[in-house]
PDB file of all heavy atoms in Angstrom:
ATOM      1  N   LEU A 148      -4.189  -0.495 -12.320  1.00  0.00           N
ATOM      2  CA  LEU A 148      -5.014  -1.657 -12.655  1.00  0.00           C
ATOM      3  C   LEU A 148      -4.294  -2.883 -12.056  1.00  0.00           C
ATOM      4  O   LEU A 148      -3.670  -3.680 -12.857  1.00  0.00           O
ATOM      5  CB  LEU A 148      -5.369  -1.847 -14.095  1.00  0.00           C
ATOM      6  CG  LEU A 148      -5.959  -0.484 -14.684  1.00  0.00           C
ATOM      7  CD1 LEU A 148      -6.335  -0.791 -16.108  1.00  0.00           C
ATOM      8  CD2 LEU A 148      -7.182  -0.080 -13.827  1.00  0.00           C
ATOM      9  N   PRO A 151      -7.300  -8.417 -12.374  1.00  0.00           N
ATOM     10  CA  PRO A 151      -8.409  -8.474 -13.350  1.00  0.00           C
ATOM     11  C   PRO A 151      -9.665  -7.656 -12.760  1.00  0.00           C
ATOM     12  O   PRO A 151     -10.360  -7.042 -13.587  1.00  0.00           O
ATOM     13  CB  PRO A 151      -8.773  -9.950 -13.392  1.00  0.00           C
ATOM     14  CG  PRO A 151      -7.522 -10.647 -12.975  1.00  0.00           C
ATOM     15  CD  PRO A 151      -6.819  -9.768 -12.010  1.00  0.00           C
ATOM     16  N   PHE A 152      -9.858  -7.711 -11.506  1.00  0.00           N
ATOM     17  CA  PHE A 152     -11.037  -6.968 -10.972  1.00  0.00           C
ATOM     18  C   PHE A 152     -11.039  -5.429 -11.271  1.00  0.00           C
ATOM     19  O   PHE A 152     -11.951  -4.879 -11.807  1.00  0.00           O
ATOM     20  CB  PHE A 152     -11.192  -7.222  -9.474  1.00  0.00           C
ATOM     21  CG  PHE A 152     -12.204  -6.291  -8.812  1.00  0.00           C
ATOM     22  CD1 PHE A 152     -13.522  -6.554  -9.035  1.00  0.00           C
ATOM     23  CD2 PHE A 152     -11.827  -5.251  -7.983  1.00  0.00           C
ATOM     24  CE1 PHE A 152     -14.542  -5.711  -8.438  1.00  0.00           C
ATOM     25  CE2 PHE A 152     -12.780  -4.458  -7.390  1.00  0.00           C
ATOM     26  CZ  PHE A 152     -14.149  -4.715  -7.652  1.00  0.00           C
ATOM     27  N   LEU A 153      -9.918  -4.787 -10.971  1.00  0.00           N
ATOM     28  CA  LEU A 153      -9.778  -3.340 -11.189  1.00  0.00           C
ATOM     29  C   LEU A 153      -9.725  -3.089 -12.751  1.00  0.00           C
ATOM     30  O   LEU A 153     -10.187  -2.056 -13.114  1.00  0.00           O
ATOM     31  CB  LEU A 153      -8.550  -2.895 -10.546  1.00  0.00           C
ATOM     32  CG  LEU A 153      -8.626  -2.762  -9.012  1.00  0.00           C
ATOM     33  CD1 LEU A 153      -7.235  -2.266  -8.408  1.00  0.00           C
ATOM     34  CD2 LEU A 153      -9.698  -1.810  -8.505  1.00  0.00           C
ATOM     35  N   THR A 154      -9.064  -4.056 -13.496  1.00  0.00           N
ATOM     36  CA  THR A 154      -9.137  -3.788 -14.938  1.00  0.00           C
ATOM     37  C   THR A 154     -10.559  -3.830 -15.523  1.00  0.00           C
ATOM     38  O   THR A 154     -10.889  -3.009 -16.297  1.00  0.00           O
ATOM     39  CB  THR A 154      -8.288  -4.874 -15.606  1.00  0.00           C
ATOM     40  OG1 THR A 154      -6.955  -4.895 -15.096  1.00  0.00           O
ATOM     41  CG2 THR A 154      -8.204  -4.635 -17.107  1.00  0.00           C
ATOM     42  N   THR A 155     -11.322  -4.775 -14.993  1.00  0.00           N
ATOM     43  CA  THR A 155     -12.759  -4.849 -15.480  1.00  0.00           C
ATOM     44  C   THR A 155     -13.550  -3.650 -15.039  1.00  0.00           C
ATOM     45  O   THR A 155     -14.348  -3.106 -15.819  1.00  0.00           O
ATOM     46  CB  THR A 155     -13.388  -6.134 -14.845  1.00  0.00           C
ATOM     47  OG1 THR A 155     -12.678  -7.239 -15.348  1.00  0.00           O
ATOM     48  CG2 THR A 155     -14.864  -6.321 -15.353  1.00  0.00           C
ATOM     49  N   LEU A 156     -13.304  -3.151 -13.753  1.00  0.00           N
ATOM     50  CA  LEU A 156     -13.940  -1.989 -13.282  1.00  0.00           C
ATOM     51  C   LEU A 156     -13.577  -0.810 -14.093  1.00  0.00           C
ATOM     52  O   LEU A 156     -14.480   0.012 -14.433  1.00  0.00           O
ATOM     53  CB  LEU A 156     -13.492  -1.838 -11.822  1.00  0.00           C
ATOM     54  CG  LEU A 156     -14.376  -0.813 -10.979  1.00  0.00           C
ATOM     55  CD1 LEU A 156     -15.808  -1.310 -10.829  1.00  0.00           C
ATOM     56  CD2 LEU A 156     -13.777  -0.719  -9.593  1.00  0.00           C
ATOM     57  N   ALA A 157     -12.304  -0.633 -14.485  1.00  0.00           N
ATOM     58  CA  ALA A 157     -11.871   0.484 -15.389  1.00  0.00           C
ATOM     59  C   ALA A 157     -12.480   0.402 -16.659  1.00  0.00           C
ATOM     60  O   ALA A 157     -12.954   1.386 -17.287  1.00  0.00           O
ATOM     61  CB  ALA A 157     -10.396   0.524 -15.424  1.00  0.00           C
ATOM     62  N   ALA A 158     -12.664  -0.807 -17.291  1.00  0.00           N
ATOM     63  CA  ALA A 158     -13.254  -0.923 -18.576  1.00  0.00           C
ATOM     64  C   ALA A 158     -14.654  -0.536 -18.579  1.00  0.00           C
ATOM     65  O   ALA A 158     -15.098   0.193 -19.527  1.00  0.00           O
ATOM     66  CB  ALA A 158     -13.082  -2.435 -19.080  1.00  0.00           C
ATOM     67  N   PHE A 159     -15.460  -1.006 -17.606  1.00  0.00           N
ATOM     68  CA  PHE A 159     -16.961  -0.566 -17.565  1.00  0.00           C
ATOM     69  C   PHE A 159     -16.998   0.981 -17.310  1.00  0.00           C
ATOM     70  O   PHE A 159     -17.803   1.541 -17.914  1.00  0.00           O
ATOM     71  CB  PHE A 159     -17.526  -1.321 -16.361  1.00  0.00           C
ATOM     72  CG  PHE A 159     -18.090  -2.666 -16.725  1.00  0.00           C
ATOM     73  CD1 PHE A 159     -17.435  -3.840 -16.214  1.00  0.00           C
ATOM     74  CD2 PHE A 159     -19.122  -2.813 -17.536  1.00  0.00           C
ATOM     75  CE1 PHE A 159     -17.946  -5.076 -16.598  1.00  0.00           C
ATOM     76  CE2 PHE A 159     -19.616  -4.050 -17.945  1.00  0.00           C
ATOM     77  CZ  PHE A 159     -19.047  -5.192 -17.396  1.00  0.00           C
ATOM     78  N   SER A 160     -16.079   1.546 -16.443  1.00  0.00           N
ATOM     79  CA  SER A 160     -16.123   2.980 -16.248  1.00  0.00           C
ATOM     80  C   SER A 160     -15.830   3.714 -17.518  1.00  0.00           C
ATOM     81  O   SER A 160     -16.529   4.750 -17.835  1.00  0.00           O
ATOM     82  CB  SER A 160     -15.083   3.336 -15.142  1.00  0.00           C
ATOM     83  OG  SER A 160     -15.417   2.726 -13.846  1.00  0.00           O
ATOM     84  N   CYS A 161     -14.823   3.226 -18.287  1.00  0.00           N
ATOM     85  CA  CYS A 161     -14.534   3.903 -19.515  1.00  0.00           C
ATOM     86  C   CYS A 161     -15.692   3.875 -20.567  1.00  0.00           C
ATOM     87  O   CYS A 161     -16.025   4.869 -21.116  1.00  0.00           O
ATOM     88  CB  CYS A 161     -13.299   3.277 -20.106  1.00  0.00           C
ATOM     89  SG  CYS A 161     -12.681   4.062 -21.617  1.00  0.00           S
ATOM     90  N   ALA A 162     -16.283   2.671 -20.582  1.00  0.00           N
ATOM     91  CA  ALA A 162     -17.449   2.562 -21.554  1.00  0.00           C
ATOM     92  C   ALA A 162     -18.531   3.497 -21.166  1.00  0.00           C
ATOM     93  O   ALA A 162     -19.157   4.138 -22.054  1.00  0.00           O
ATOM     94  CB  ALA A 162     -17.793   1.069 -21.539  1.00  0.00           C
ATOM     95  N   LEU A 163     -18.913   3.536 -19.893  1.00  0.00           N
ATOM     96  CA  LEU A 163     -19.966   4.395 -19.363  1.00  0.00           C
ATOM     97  C   LEU A 163     -19.590   5.873 -19.666  1.00  0.00           C
ATOM     98  O   LEU A 163     -20.464   6.658 -19.937  1.00  0.00           O
ATOM     99  CB  LEU A 163     -20.255   4.120 -17.912  1.00  0.00           C
ATOM    100  CG  LEU A 163     -20.858   2.770 -17.577  1.00  0.00           C
ATOM    101  CD1 LEU A 163     -20.947   2.569 -16.151  1.00  0.00           C
ATOM    102  CD2 LEU A 163     -22.318   2.632 -18.251  1.00  0.00           C
ATOM    103  N   ALA A 164     -18.391   6.247 -19.417  1.00  0.00           N
ATOM    104  CA  ALA A 164     -17.925   7.607 -19.619  1.00  0.00           C
ATOM    105  C   ALA A 164     -18.131   7.960 -21.041  1.00  0.00           C
ATOM    106  O   ALA A 164     -18.556   9.093 -21.401  1.00  0.00           O
ATOM    107  CB  ALA A 164     -16.481   7.785 -19.166  1.00  0.00           C
ATOM    108  N   LEU A 165     -17.755   7.067 -22.033  1.00  0.00           N
ATOM    109  CA  LEU A 165     -17.931   7.443 -23.419  1.00  0.00           C
ATOM    110  C   LEU A 165     -19.402   7.602 -23.788  1.00  0.00           C
ATOM    111  O   LEU A 165     -19.688   8.233 -24.802  1.00  0.00           O
ATOM    112  CB  LEU A 165     -17.309   6.293 -24.300  1.00  0.00           C
ATOM    113  CG  LEU A 165     -15.774   6.266 -24.201  1.00  0.00           C
ATOM    114  CD1 LEU A 165     -15.240   4.988 -24.856  1.00  0.00           C
ATOM    115  CD2 LEU A 165     -15.152   7.473 -24.831  1.00  0.00           C
ATOM    116  N   PHE A 166     -20.278   6.949 -23.064  1.00  0.00           N
ATOM    117  CA  PHE A 166     -21.715   7.088 -23.290  1.00  0.00           C
ATOM    118  C   PHE A 166     -22.377   8.233 -22.534  1.00  0.00           C
ATOM    119  O   PHE A 166     -23.572   8.419 -22.493  1.00  0.00           O
ATOM    120  CB  PHE A 166     -22.507   5.836 -22.916  1.00  0.00           C
ATOM    121  CG  PHE A 166     -22.427   4.673 -23.921  1.00  0.00           C
ATOM    122  CD1 PHE A 166     -21.598   3.655 -23.766  1.00  0.00           C
ATOM    123  CD2 PHE A 166     -23.158   4.845 -25.128  1.00  0.00           C
ATOM    124  CE1 PHE A 166     -21.535   2.596 -24.748  1.00  0.00           C
ATOM    125  CE2 PHE A 166     -23.079   3.828 -26.154  1.00  0.00           C
ATOM    126  CZ  PHE A 166     -22.241   2.726 -25.900  1.00  0.00           C
ATOM    127  N   PHE A 168     -22.000   9.038 -19.148  1.00  0.00           N
ATOM    128  CA  PHE A 168     -22.376   8.848 -17.757  1.00  0.00           C
ATOM    129  C   PHE A 168     -21.747   9.842 -16.884  1.00  0.00           C
ATOM    130  O   PHE A 168     -20.550  10.201 -17.151  1.00  0.00           O
ATOM    131  CB  PHE A 168     -21.999   7.405 -17.355  1.00  0.00           C
ATOM    132  CG  PHE A 168     -22.818   6.859 -16.169  1.00  0.00           C
ATOM    133  CD1 PHE A 168     -24.115   6.357 -16.393  1.00  0.00           C
ATOM    134  CD2 PHE A 168     -22.378   6.827 -14.913  1.00  0.00           C
ATOM    135  CE1 PHE A 168     -24.832   5.917 -15.331  1.00  0.00           C
ATOM    136  CE2 PHE A 168     -23.042   6.348 -13.854  1.00  0.00           C
ATOM    137  CZ  PHE A 168     -24.351   5.857 -14.029  1.00  0.00           C
ATOM    138  N   LEU A 173     -19.359   7.841 -11.579  1.00  0.00           N
ATOM    139  CA  LEU A 173     -18.392   6.834 -11.900  1.00  0.00           C
ATOM    140  C   LEU A 173     -17.355   6.639 -10.881  1.00  0.00           C
ATOM    141  O   LEU A 173     -16.928   5.538 -10.422  1.00  0.00           O
ATOM    142  CB  LEU A 173     -17.818   6.974 -13.369  1.00  0.00           C
ATOM    143  CG  LEU A 173     -18.718   6.849 -14.491  1.00  0.00           C
ATOM    144  CD1 LEU A 173     -18.022   7.218 -15.872  1.00  0.00           C
ATOM    145  CD2 LEU A 173     -19.141   5.388 -14.633  1.00  0.00           C
ATOM    146  N   SER A 177     -17.382   3.346  -8.551  1.00  0.00           N
ATOM    147  CA  SER A 177     -16.178   2.406  -8.671  1.00  0.00           C
ATOM    148  C   SER A 177     -15.551   2.234  -7.273  1.00  0.00           C
ATOM    149  O   SER A 177     -15.188   1.130  -6.824  1.00  0.00           O
ATOM    150  CB  SER A 177     -15.183   2.922  -9.625  1.00  0.00           C
ATOM    151  OG  SER A 177     -15.716   2.995 -10.965  1.00  0.00           O
ATOM    152  N   ILE A 180     -17.901   0.029  -5.038  1.00  0.00           N
ATOM    153  CA  ILE A 180     -17.939  -1.332  -5.519  1.00  0.00           C
ATOM    154  C   ILE A 180     -16.544  -1.972  -4.996  1.00  0.00           C
ATOM    155  O   ILE A 180     -16.623  -3.085  -4.412  1.00  0.00           O
ATOM    156  CB  ILE A 180     -17.964  -1.449  -6.991  1.00  0.00           C
ATOM    157  CG1 ILE A 180     -19.351  -1.057  -7.500  1.00  0.00           C
ATOM    158  CG2 ILE A 180     -17.688  -2.810  -7.443  1.00  0.00           C
ATOM    159  CD1 ILE A 180     -19.530  -0.894  -9.009  1.00  0.00           C
ATOM    160  N   ALA A 345      -8.889   3.538 -10.424  1.00  0.00           N
ATOM    161  CA  ALA A 345      -9.120   2.767 -11.644  1.00  0.00           C
ATOM    162  C   ALA A 345     -10.077   3.623 -12.546  1.00  0.00           C
ATOM    163  O   ALA A 345      -9.912   3.698 -13.716  1.00  0.00           O
ATOM    164  CB  ALA A 345      -9.795   1.426 -11.345  1.00  0.00           C
ATOM    165  N   ALA A 346     -11.129   4.262 -11.848  1.00  0.00           N
ATOM    166  CA  ALA A 346     -12.096   4.950 -12.632  1.00  0.00           C
ATOM    167  C   ALA A 346     -11.454   6.248 -13.113  1.00  0.00           C
ATOM    168  O   ALA A 346     -11.750   6.773 -14.232  1.00  0.00           O
ATOM    169  CB  ALA A 346     -13.284   5.342 -11.751  1.00  0.00           C
ATOM    170  N   ALA A 349      -9.684   5.294 -16.224  1.00  0.00           N
ATOM    171  CA  ALA A 349     -10.694   5.151 -17.298  1.00  0.00           C
ATOM    172  C   ALA A 349     -11.136   6.456 -17.837  1.00  0.00           C
ATOM    173  O   ALA A 349     -11.411   6.602 -19.009  1.00  0.00           O
ATOM    174  CB  ALA A 349     -11.864   4.386 -16.653  1.00  0.00           C
ATOM    175  N   LEU A 350     -11.374   7.430 -16.984  1.00  0.00           N
ATOM    176  CA  LEU A 350     -11.808   8.754 -17.465  1.00  0.00           C
ATOM    177  C   LEU A 350     -10.726   9.443 -18.345  1.00  0.00           C
ATOM    178  O   LEU A 350     -11.006   9.985 -19.429  1.00  0.00           O
ATOM    179  CB  LEU A 350     -12.156   9.678 -16.350  1.00  0.00           C
ATOM    180  CG  LEU A 350     -13.415   9.322 -15.527  1.00  0.00           C
ATOM    181  CD1 LEU A 350     -13.508  10.226 -14.282  1.00  0.00           C
ATOM    182  CD2 LEU A 350     -14.642   9.321 -16.368  1.00  0.00           C
ATOM    183  N   ALA A 353     -11.045   7.742 -21.666  1.00  0.00           N
ATOM    184  CA  ALA A 353     -12.177   8.346 -22.440  1.00  0.00           C
ATOM    185  C   ALA A 353     -12.032   9.663 -22.948  1.00  0.00           C
ATOM    186  O   ALA A 353     -12.303   9.928 -24.048  1.00  0.00           O
ATOM    187  CB  ALA A 353     -13.406   8.215 -21.492  1.00  0.00           C
TER     188      ALA A 353
END
Side-chain angles (χ1 to χ4, degrees):
L148 307 183
F152 170 71
L153 289 176
T154 302
T155 302
L156 196 61
F159 275 110
S160 297
C161 184
L163 291 172
L165 290 172
F166 279 105
F168 205 79
L173 286 175
S177 297
I180 290 170
L350 291 175

